[in-house]
Amino acid sequence: MTINETQDEIIDEFEGLTDWMDRYAYIIELGNTLSPFPEADKIPANLIEGCQSRVWIAAKRNPDGTIDFEADSDALIVKGIVALLMRVLNHRTPDEILDSDLYFIDRIGLSEHLSPTRSNGLVAMVKQIRNYAKAFKMLDEAK
């Protein structure tokens, strides 16, 4: 599935949830789908600055050129938001990540239903994921 196909799938899932309490419950449920984040990786270098809650994102490069992300948060809703980002951006190449337009965030109404601090945190998470992609791309270009 492409990034846009994954985003469209998420949009379809959220369209079936008209009440925001149901949407929040679903987001929390998605957070429970994240793989366990190693305690050893909960270090300052992986901590996302600008988030009200604590969010960690780590990345590693696969031999096929894609990036695998691991993520966690100590807040249930934020953990679900991270899970959505992982669903869209995990196992992608740096170019796919850097060229993506993450329109699903607005289309599911997430940006308008988050507090300003959570919105800032979401922007910081996306920025960090893109920074990892830029760094891996630069490593490729240096070879």
Side-chain angles (χ1 to χ4, degrees):
M1 254 194 191
T2 66
I3 285 178
N4 286 350
E5 288 169 339
T6 303
Q7 291 188 94
D8 292 341
E9 184 178 81
I10 291 169
I11 292 165
D12 288 344
E13 290 168 11
F14 274 81
E15 283 177 353
L17 304 169
T18 56
D19 178 80
W20 262 94
M21 291 311 291
D22 291 339
R23 287 182 176 207
Y24 285 132
Y26 184 59
I27 290 169
I28 290 169
E29 186 180 313
L30 290 173
N32 294 326
T33 66
L34 284 177
S35 299
F37 192 84
E39 285 298 317
D41 288 342
K42 290 186 177 180
I43 57 174
N46 293 333
L47 193 62
I48 306 301
E49 298 206 17
C51 292
Q52 176 182 350
S53 51
R54 294 166 47 115
V55 178
W56 298 269
I57 298 177
K60 69 175 184 168
R61 190 67 179 274
N62 295 314
D64 67 358
T66 61
I67 303 170
D68 276 349
F69 294 100
E70 291 182 308
D72 195 12
S73 175
D74 61 359
L76 294 175
I77 290 176
V78 176
K79 189 170 182 170
I81 293 168
V82 171
L84 284 169
L85 290 174
M86 295 298 103
R87 185 169 160 193
V88 173
L89 299 172
N90 206 18
H91 310 298
R92 307 289 183 180
T93 66
D95 283 334
E96 286 176 306
I97 293 167
L98 294 170
D99 294 341
S100 66
D101 170 23
L102 299 179
Y103 58 83
F104 83 96
I105 295 167
D106 288 329
R107 296 270 299 275
I108 66 173
L110 192 56
S111 50
E112 68 190 59
H113 283 90
L114 292 178
S115 67
T117 53
R118 283 213 172 113
S119 289
N120 290 341
L122 175 57
V123 169
M125 288 182 262
V126 171
K127 181 179 177 184
Q128 182 58 45
I129 290 167
R130 291 188 191 276
N131 284 342
Y132 278 124
K134 284 178 194 170
F136 285 122
K137 183 174 179 166
M138 286 173 49
L139 285 173
D140 287 346
E141 291 170 353
K143 290 180 183 177

